[in-house]
PDB file of all heavy atoms in Angstrom:
ATOM      1  N   VAL A  13      92.181  45.722 122.162  1.00 84.00           N
ATOM      2  CA  VAL A  13      90.734  45.879 122.348  1.00 84.00           C
ATOM      3  C   VAL A  13      90.419  47.220 123.001  1.00 84.00           C
ATOM      4  O   VAL A  13      89.435  47.889 122.645  1.00 84.00           O
ATOM      5  CB  VAL A  13      90.182  44.712 123.193  1.00 84.00           C
ATOM      6  CG1 VAL A  13      88.736  44.979 123.626  1.00 84.00           C
ATOM      7  CG2 VAL A  13      90.249  43.414 122.395  1.00 84.00           C
ATOM      8  N   GLN A  14      91.242  47.635 123.937  1.00 85.00           N
ATOM      9  CA  GLN A  14      90.977  48.893 124.631  1.00 85.00           C
ATOM     10  C   GLN A  14      91.148  50.110 123.722  1.00 85.00           C
ATOM     11  O   GLN A  14      90.617  51.179 124.014  1.00 85.00           O
ATOM     12  CB  GLN A  14      91.902  49.019 125.844  1.00 85.00           C
ATOM     13  CG  GLN A  14      91.551  48.045 126.961  1.00 85.00           C
ATOM     14  CD  GLN A  14      92.541  48.084 128.100  1.00 85.00           C
ATOM     15  OE1 GLN A  14      93.582  48.736 128.007  1.00 85.00           O
ATOM     16  NE2 GLN A  14      92.233  47.387 129.180  1.00 85.00           N
ATOM     17  N   ARG A  15      91.870  49.951 122.631  1.00 87.00           N
ATOM     18  CA  ARG A  15      92.056  51.078 121.705  1.00 87.00           C
ATOM     19  C   ARG A  15      91.011  51.100 120.594  1.00 87.00           C
ATOM     20  O   ARG A  15      91.001  52.016 119.774  1.00 87.00           O
ATOM     21  CB  ARG A  15      93.459  51.008 121.085  1.00 87.00           C
ATOM     22  CG  ARG A  15      94.583  51.319 122.065  1.00 87.00           C
ATOM     23  CD  ARG A  15      95.888  51.569 121.316  1.00 87.00           C
ATOM     24  NE  ARG A  15      96.285  50.422 120.525  1.00 87.00           N
ATOM     25  CZ  ARG A  15      97.096  49.457 120.970  1.00 87.00           C
ATOM     26  NH1 ARG A  15      97.598  49.527 122.202  1.00 87.00           N
ATOM     27  NH2 ARG A  15      97.439  48.451 120.201  1.00 87.00           N
ATOM     28  N   LEU A  16      90.140  50.087 120.542  1.00 85.00           N
ATOM     29  CA  LEU A  16      89.131  50.030 119.490  1.00 85.00           C
ATOM     30  C   LEU A  16      88.038  51.076 119.747  1.00 85.00           C
ATOM     31  O   LEU A  16      87.706  51.376 120.897  1.00 85.00           O
ATOM     32  CB  LEU A  16      88.500  48.635 119.432  1.00 85.00           C
ATOM     33  CG  LEU A  16      89.419  47.506 118.961  1.00 85.00           C
ATOM     34  CD1 LEU A  16      88.710  46.161 119.109  1.00 85.00           C
ATOM     35  CD2 LEU A  16      89.838  47.717 117.513  1.00 85.00           C
ATOM     36  N   PRO A  17      87.461  51.604 118.679  1.00 87.00           N
ATOM     37  CA  PRO A  17      86.364  52.571 118.859  1.00 87.00           C
ATOM     38  C   PRO A  17      85.108  51.879 119.376  1.00 87.00           C
ATOM     39  O   PRO A  17      84.932  50.665 119.202  1.00 87.00           O
ATOM     40  CB  PRO A  17      86.154  53.129 117.438  1.00 87.00           C
ATOM     41  CG  PRO A  17      86.675  52.054 116.535  1.00 87.00           C
ATOM     42  CD  PRO A  17      87.814  51.407 117.258  1.00 87.00           C
ATOM     43  N   LEU A  18      84.211  52.654 119.993  1.00 83.00           N
ATOM     44  CA  LEU A  18      83.011  52.071 120.583  1.00 83.00           C
ATOM     45  C   LEU A  18      82.103  51.435 119.538  1.00 83.00           C
ATOM     46  O   LEU A  18      81.382  50.483 119.839  1.00 83.00           O
ATOM     47  CB  LEU A  18      82.249  53.160 121.347  1.00 83.00           C
ATOM     48  CG  LEU A  18      82.932  53.673 122.624  1.00 83.00           C
ATOM     49  CD1 LEU A  18      82.093  54.781 123.250  1.00 83.00           C
ATOM     50  CD2 LEU A  18      83.152  52.537 123.611  1.00 83.00           C
ATOM     51  N   ARG A  19      82.129  51.957 118.292  1.00 84.00           N
ATOM     52  CA  ARG A  19      81.243  51.386 117.269  1.00 84.00           C
ATOM     53  C   ARG A  19      81.620  49.939 116.939  1.00 84.00           C
ATOM     54  O   ARG A  19      80.794  49.178 116.434  1.00 84.00           O
ATOM     55  CB  ARG A  19      81.288  52.248 116.011  1.00 84.00           C
ATOM     56  CG  ARG A  19      82.644  52.351 115.358  1.00 84.00           C
ATOM     57  CD  ARG A  19      82.569  53.162 114.070  1.00 84.00           C
ATOM     58  NE  ARG A  19      83.856  53.289 113.422  1.00 84.00           N
ATOM     59  CZ  ARG A  19      84.738  54.231 113.694  1.00 84.00           C
ATOM     60  NH1 ARG A  19      84.449  55.155 114.624  1.00 84.00           N
ATOM     61  NH2 ARG A  19      85.900  54.299 113.058  1.00 84.00           N
ATOM     62  N   PHE A  20      82.863  49.553 117.215  1.00 83.00           N
ATOM     63  CA  PHE A  20      83.254  48.157 116.982  1.00 83.00           C
ATOM     64  C   PHE A  20      82.444  47.205 117.860  1.00 83.00           C
ATOM     65  O   PHE A  20      82.010  46.140 117.403  1.00 83.00           O
ATOM     66  CB  PHE A  20      84.750  47.984 117.270  1.00 83.00           C
ATOM     67  CG  PHE A  20      85.201  46.542 117.295  1.00 83.00           C
ATOM     68  CD1 PHE A  20      85.476  45.863 116.117  1.00 83.00           C
ATOM     69  CD2 PHE A  20      85.331  45.849 118.503  1.00 83.00           C
ATOM     70  CE1 PHE A  20      85.889  44.529 116.136  1.00 83.00           C
ATOM     71  CE2 PHE A  20      85.730  44.523 118.523  1.00 83.00           C
ATOM     72  CZ  PHE A  20      86.008  43.867 117.341  1.00 83.00           C
ATOM     73  N   PHE A  21      82.182  47.581 119.100  1.00 81.00           N
ATOM     74  CA  PHE A  21      81.451  46.718 120.023  1.00 81.00           C
ATOM     75  C   PHE A  21      79.969  46.673 119.695  1.00 81.00           C
ATOM     76  O   PHE A  21      79.260  45.776 120.168  1.00 81.00           O
ATOM     77  CB  PHE A  21      81.670  47.207 121.463  1.00 81.00           C
ATOM     78  CG  PHE A  21      83.115  47.202 121.886  1.00 81.00           C
ATOM     79  CD1 PHE A  21      83.878  48.356 121.805  1.00 81.00           C
ATOM     80  CD2 PHE A  21      83.715  46.042 122.334  1.00 81.00           C
ATOM     81  CE1 PHE A  21      85.201  48.358 122.183  1.00 81.00           C
ATOM     82  CE2 PHE A  21      85.043  46.032 122.718  1.00 81.00           C
ATOM     83  CZ  PHE A  21      85.793  47.188 122.631  1.00 81.00           C
ATOM     84  N   ASP A  22      79.487  47.613 118.893  1.00 82.00           N
ATOM     85  CA  ASP A  22      78.102  47.555 118.431  1.00 82.00           C
ATOM     86  C   ASP A  22      77.937  46.543 117.298  1.00 82.00           C
ATOM     87  O   ASP A  22      76.860  45.986 117.122  1.00 82.00           O
ATOM     88  CB  ASP A  22      77.643  48.932 117.945  1.00 82.00           C
ATOM     89  CG  ASP A  22      77.575  49.935 119.079  1.00 82.00           C
ATOM     90  OD1 ASP A  22      77.367  49.502 120.230  1.00 82.00           O
ATOM     91  OD2 ASP A  22      77.758  51.140 118.821  1.00 82.00           O
ATOM     92  N   ARG A  23      79.003  46.302 116.536  1.00 83.00           N
ATOM     93  CA  ARG A  23      78.934  45.382 115.388  1.00 83.00           C
ATOM     94  C   ARG A  23      79.371  43.966 115.747  1.00 83.00           C
ATOM     95  O   ARG A  23      78.868  43.002 115.183  1.00 83.00           O
ATOM     96  CB  ARG A  23      79.826  45.894 114.245  1.00 83.00           C
ATOM     97  CG  ARG A  23      79.445  47.257 113.694  1.00 83.00           C
ATOM     98  CD  ARG A  23      80.136  47.506 112.361  1.00 83.00           C
ATOM     99  NE  ARG A  23      81.551  47.169 112.406  1.00 83.00           N
ATOM    100  CZ  ARG A  23      82.522  48.050 112.676  1.00 83.00           C
ATOM    101  NH1 ARG A  23      82.195  49.311 112.949  1.00 83.00           N
ATOM    102  NH2 ARG A  23      83.785  47.675 112.683  1.00 83.00           N
ATOM    103  N   TYR A  24      80.310  43.860 116.656  1.00 81.00           N
ATOM    104  CA  TYR A  24      80.898  42.549 116.957  1.00 81.00           C
ATOM    105  C   TYR A  24      80.234  41.963 118.200  1.00 81.00           C
ATOM    106  O   TYR A  24      80.152  42.632 119.233  1.00 81.00           O
ATOM    107  CB  TYR A  24      82.403  42.701 117.191  1.00 81.00           C
ATOM    108  CG  TYR A  24      83.183  41.418 117.043  1.00 81.00           C
ATOM    109  CD1 TYR A  24      83.750  41.067 115.827  1.00 81.00           C
ATOM    110  CD2 TYR A  24      83.358  40.555 118.115  1.00 81.00           C
ATOM    111  CE1 TYR A  24      84.473  39.893 115.684  1.00 81.00           C
ATOM    112  CE2 TYR A  24      84.063  39.383 117.985  1.00 81.00           C
ATOM    113  CZ  TYR A  24      84.623  39.055 116.768  1.00 81.00           C
ATOM    114  OH  TYR A  24      85.332  37.889 116.620  1.00 81.00           O
ATOM    115  N   PRO A  25      79.750  40.701 118.157  1.00 82.00           N
ATOM    116  CA  PRO A  25      79.104  40.096 119.333  1.00 82.00           C
ATOM    117  C   PRO A  25      80.062  40.040 120.524  1.00 82.00           C
ATOM    118  O   PRO A  25      81.203  39.581 120.404  1.00 82.00           O
ATOM    119  CB  PRO A  25      78.738  38.687 118.853  1.00 82.00           C
ATOM    120  CG  PRO A  25      78.689  38.785 117.364  1.00 82.00           C
ATOM    121  CD  PRO A  25      79.712  39.815 116.978  1.00 82.00           C
ATOM    122  N   VAL A  26      79.576  40.472 121.670  1.00 78.00           N
ATOM    123  CA  VAL A  26      80.433  40.526 122.859  1.00 78.00           C
ATOM    124  C   VAL A  26      80.830  39.124 123.312  1.00 78.00           C
ATOM    125  O   VAL A  26      81.968  38.891 123.732  1.00 78.00           O
ATOM    126  CB  VAL A  26      79.705  41.282 123.992  1.00 78.00           C
ATOM    127  CG1 VAL A  26      80.551  41.286 125.258  1.00 78.00           C
ATOM    128  CG2 VAL A  26      79.392  42.705 123.564  1.00 78.00           C
ATOM    129  N   GLY A  27      79.903  38.174 123.217  1.00 80.00           N
ATOM    130  CA  GLY A  27      80.232  36.810 123.627  1.00 80.00           C
ATOM    131  C   GLY A  27      81.357  36.209 122.805  1.00 80.00           C
ATOM    132  O   GLY A  27      82.238  35.521 123.324  1.00 80.00           O
ATOM    133  N   ARG A  28      81.336  36.488 121.515  1.00 81.00           N
ATOM    134  CA  ARG A  28      82.410  35.985 120.645  1.00 81.00           C
ATOM    135  C   ARG A  28      83.740  36.660 120.985  1.00 81.00           C
ATOM    136  O   ARG A  28      84.801  36.040 120.940  1.00 81.00           O
ATOM    137  CB  ARG A  28      82.034  36.236 119.191  1.00 81.00           C
ATOM    138  CG  ARG A  28      82.832  35.398 118.195  1.00 81.00           C
ATOM    139  CD  ARG A  28      82.338  35.672 116.787  1.00 81.00           C
ATOM    140  NE  ARG A  28      80.927  35.372 116.641  1.00 81.00           N
ATOM    141  CZ  ARG A  28      80.462  34.157 116.392  1.00 81.00           C
ATOM    142  NH1 ARG A  28      81.292  33.143 116.288  1.00 81.00           N
ATOM    143  NH2 ARG A  28      79.163  33.964 116.244  1.00 81.00           N
ATOM    144  N   LEU A  29      83.686  37.900 121.343  1.00 80.00           N
ATOM    145  CA  LEU A  29      84.899  38.624 121.713  1.00 80.00           C
ATOM    146  C   LEU A  29      85.494  38.051 123.002  1.00 80.00           C
ATOM    147  O   LEU A  29      86.715  37.874 123.115  1.00 80.00           O
ATOM    148  CB  LEU A  29      84.582  40.104 121.883  1.00 80.00           C
ATOM    149  CG  LEU A  29      85.753  41.020 122.232  1.00 80.00           C
ATOM    150  CD1 LEU A  29      86.800  40.997 121.122  1.00 80.00           C
ATOM    151  CD2 LEU A  29      85.276  42.440 122.473  1.00 80.00           C
ATOM    152  N   VAL A  30      84.624  37.748 123.970  1.00 80.00           N
ATOM    153  CA  VAL A  30      85.100  37.153 125.224  1.00 80.00           C
ATOM    154  C   VAL A  30      85.734  35.787 124.963  1.00 80.00           C
ATOM    155  O   VAL A  30      86.757  35.429 125.563  1.00 80.00           O
ATOM    156  CB  VAL A  30      83.940  37.043 126.221  1.00 80.00           C
ATOM    157  CG1 VAL A  30      84.375  36.266 127.466  1.00 80.00           C
ATOM    158  CG2 VAL A  30      83.454  38.431 126.617  1.00 80.00           C
ATOM    159  N   THR A  31      85.138  35.020 124.047  1.00 79.00           N
ATOM    160  CA  THR A  31      85.708  33.722 123.700  1.00 79.00           C
ATOM    161  C   THR A  31      87.087  33.877 123.081  1.00 79.00           C
ATOM    162  O   THR A  31      88.015  33.111 123.386  1.00 79.00           O
ATOM    163  CB  THR A  31      84.773  32.985 122.720  1.00 79.00           C
ATOM    164  OG1 THR A  31      83.502  32.786 123.341  1.00 79.00           O
ATOM    165  CG2 THR A  31      85.348  31.634 122.324  1.00 79.00           C
ATOM    166  N   ARG A  32      87.232  34.859 122.201  1.00 78.00           N
ATOM    167  CA  ARG A  32      88.538  35.117 121.571  1.00 78.00           C
ATOM    168  C   ARG A  32      89.593  35.462 122.619  1.00 78.00           C
ATOM    169  O   ARG A  32      90.725  34.990 122.566  1.00 78.00           O
ATOM    170  CB  ARG A  32      88.415  36.259 120.566  1.00 78.00           C
ATOM    171  CG  ARG A  32      87.711  35.891 119.288  1.00 78.00           C
ATOM    172  CD  ARG A  32      88.532  34.913 118.502  1.00 78.00           C
ATOM    173  NE  ARG A  32      87.919  34.601 117.228  1.00 78.00           N
ATOM    174  CZ  ARG A  32      88.061  33.448 116.617  1.00 78.00           C
ATOM    175  NH1 ARG A  32      88.782  32.500 117.183  1.00 78.00           N
ATOM    176  NH2 ARG A  32      87.507  33.240 115.460  1.00 78.00           N
ATOM    177  N   LEU A  33      89.228  36.277 123.581  1.00 79.00           N
ATOM    178  CA  LEU A  33      90.196  36.749 124.569  1.00 79.00           C
ATOM    179  C   LEU A  33      90.461  35.720 125.668  1.00 79.00           C
ATOM    180  O   LEU A  33      91.486  35.799 126.341  1.00 79.00           O
ATOM    181  CB  LEU A  33      89.705  38.052 125.208  1.00 79.00           C
ATOM    182  CG  LEU A  33      89.576  39.250 124.275  1.00 79.00           C
ATOM    183  CD1 LEU A  33      89.010  40.450 125.014  1.00 79.00           C
ATOM    184  CD2 LEU A  33      90.925  39.606 123.657  1.00 79.00           C
ATOM    185  N   GLY A  34      89.552  34.789 125.842  1.00 77.00           N
ATOM    186  CA  GLY A  34      89.703  33.815 126.919  1.00 77.00           C
ATOM    187  C   GLY A  34      90.031  32.424 126.441  1.00 77.00           C
ATOM    188  O   GLY A  34      91.176  31.963 126.529  1.00 77.00           O
ATOM    189  N   ASN A  35      89.035  31.737 125.884  1.00 78.00           N
ATOM    190  CA  ASN A  35      89.196  30.327 125.534  1.00 78.00           C
ATOM    191  C   ASN A  35      90.229  30.107 124.436  1.00 78.00           C
ATOM    192  O   ASN A  35      91.026  29.161 124.499  1.00 78.00           O
ATOM    193  CB  ASN A  35      87.842  29.745 125.105  1.00 78.00           C
ATOM    194  CG  ASN A  35      86.837  29.752 126.233  1.00 78.00           C
ATOM    195  OD1 ASN A  35      87.200  29.879 127.397  1.00 78.00           O
ATOM    196  ND2 ASN A  35      85.572  29.630 125.899  1.00 78.00           N
ATOM    197  N   ASP A  36      90.210  30.966 123.422  1.00 76.00           N
ATOM    198  CA  ASP A  36      91.137  30.751 122.302  1.00 76.00           C
ATOM    199  C   ASP A  36      92.593  30.933 122.737  1.00 76.00           C
ATOM    200  O   ASP A  36      93.483  30.201 122.293  1.00 76.00           O
ATOM    201  CB  ASP A  36      90.807  31.713 121.158  1.00 76.00           C
ATOM    202  CG  ASP A  36      89.516  31.343 120.466  1.00 76.00           C
ATOM    203  OD1 ASP A  36      88.899  30.346 120.875  1.00 76.00           O
ATOM    204  OD2 ASP A  36      89.124  32.039 119.516  1.00 76.00           O
ATOM    205  N   VAL A  37      92.844  31.883 123.606  1.00 76.00           N
ATOM    206  CA  VAL A  37      94.203  32.068 124.108  1.00 76.00           C
ATOM    207  C   VAL A  37      94.617  30.886 124.967  1.00 76.00           C
ATOM    208  O   VAL A  37      95.764  30.436 124.926  1.00 76.00           O
ATOM    209  CB  VAL A  37      94.303  33.389 124.896  1.00 76.00           C
ATOM    210  CG1 VAL A  37      95.684  33.547 125.515  1.00 76.00           C
ATOM    211  CG2 VAL A  37      94.012  34.573 123.989  1.00 76.00           C
ATOM    212  N   GLU A  38      93.682  30.344 125.740  1.00 75.00           N
ATOM    213  CA  GLU A  38      93.989  29.167 126.557  1.00 75.00           C
ATOM    214  C   GLU A  38      94.297  27.959 125.676  1.00 75.00           C
ATOM    215  O   GLU A  38      95.167  27.141 126.001  1.00 75.00           O
ATOM    216  CB  GLU A  38      92.806  28.857 127.477  1.00 75.00           C
ATOM    217  CG  GLU A  38      93.079  27.738 128.474  1.00 75.00           C
ATOM    218  CD  GLU A  38      94.207  28.078 129.420  1.00 75.00           C
ATOM    219  OE1 GLU A  38      94.418  29.271 129.704  1.00 75.00           O
ATOM    220  OE2 GLU A  38      94.899  27.149 129.876  1.00 75.00           O
ATOM    221  N   ASN A  39      93.596  27.835 124.543  1.00 75.00           N
ATOM    222  CA  ASN A  39      93.900  26.753 123.600  1.00 75.00           C
ATOM    223  C   ASN A  39      95.304  26.899 123.032  1.00 75.00           C
ATOM    224  O   ASN A  39      96.011  25.899 122.816  1.00 75.00           O
ATOM    225  CB  ASN A  39      92.872  26.741 122.472  1.00 75.00           C
ATOM    226  CG  ASN A  39      91.496  26.328 122.951  1.00 75.00           C
ATOM    227  OD1 ASN A  39      91.363  25.642 123.962  1.00 75.00           O
ATOM    228  ND2 ASN A  39      90.469  26.749 122.242  1.00 75.00           N
ATOM    229  N   LEU A  40      95.715  28.127 122.768  1.00 73.00           N
ATOM    230  CA  LEU A  40      97.085  28.358 122.313  1.00 73.00           C
ATOM    231  C   LEU A  40      98.096  27.931 123.372  1.00 73.00           C
ATOM    232  O   LEU A  40      99.132  27.335 123.061  1.00 73.00           O
ATOM    233  CB  LEU A  40      97.281  29.839 121.977  1.00 73.00           C
ATOM    234  CG  LEU A  40      96.718  30.348 120.656  1.00 73.00           C
ATOM    235  CD1 LEU A  40      96.935  31.848 120.550  1.00 73.00           C
ATOM    236  CD2 LEU A  40      97.379  29.633 119.487  1.00 73.00           C
ATOM    237  N   SER A  41      97.788  28.208 124.622  1.00 71.00           N
ATOM    238  CA  SER A  41      98.688  27.817 125.709  1.00 71.00           C
ATOM    239  C   SER A  41      98.825  26.303 125.777  1.00 71.00           C
ATOM    240  O   SER A  41      99.928  25.767 125.959  1.00 71.00           O
ATOM    241  CB  SER A  41      98.159  28.368 127.033  1.00 71.00           C
ATOM    242  OG  SER A  41      98.981  27.962 128.099  1.00 71.00           O
TER     243      SER A  41
END
């Protein structure tokens, strides 16, 4: 995520991104 260009965050919803990085990883655990 830190290597993604800034225009990616303009297109992709931030809330969905936070869910991917948080809740979905916890479900995998």
Side-chain angles (χ1 to χ4, degrees):
V13 169
Q14 290 175 352
R15 290 194 300 268
L16 292 173
L18 291 178
R19 61 177 180 273
F20 170 81
F21 300 96
D22 294 333
R23 299 195 313 266
Y24 200 92
V26 177
R28 198 177 301 276
L29 182 62
V30 173
T31 300
R32 286 293 183 210
L33 296 177
N35 296 342
D36 289 0
V37 176
E38 186 62 29
N39 292 336
L40 283 176
S41 178

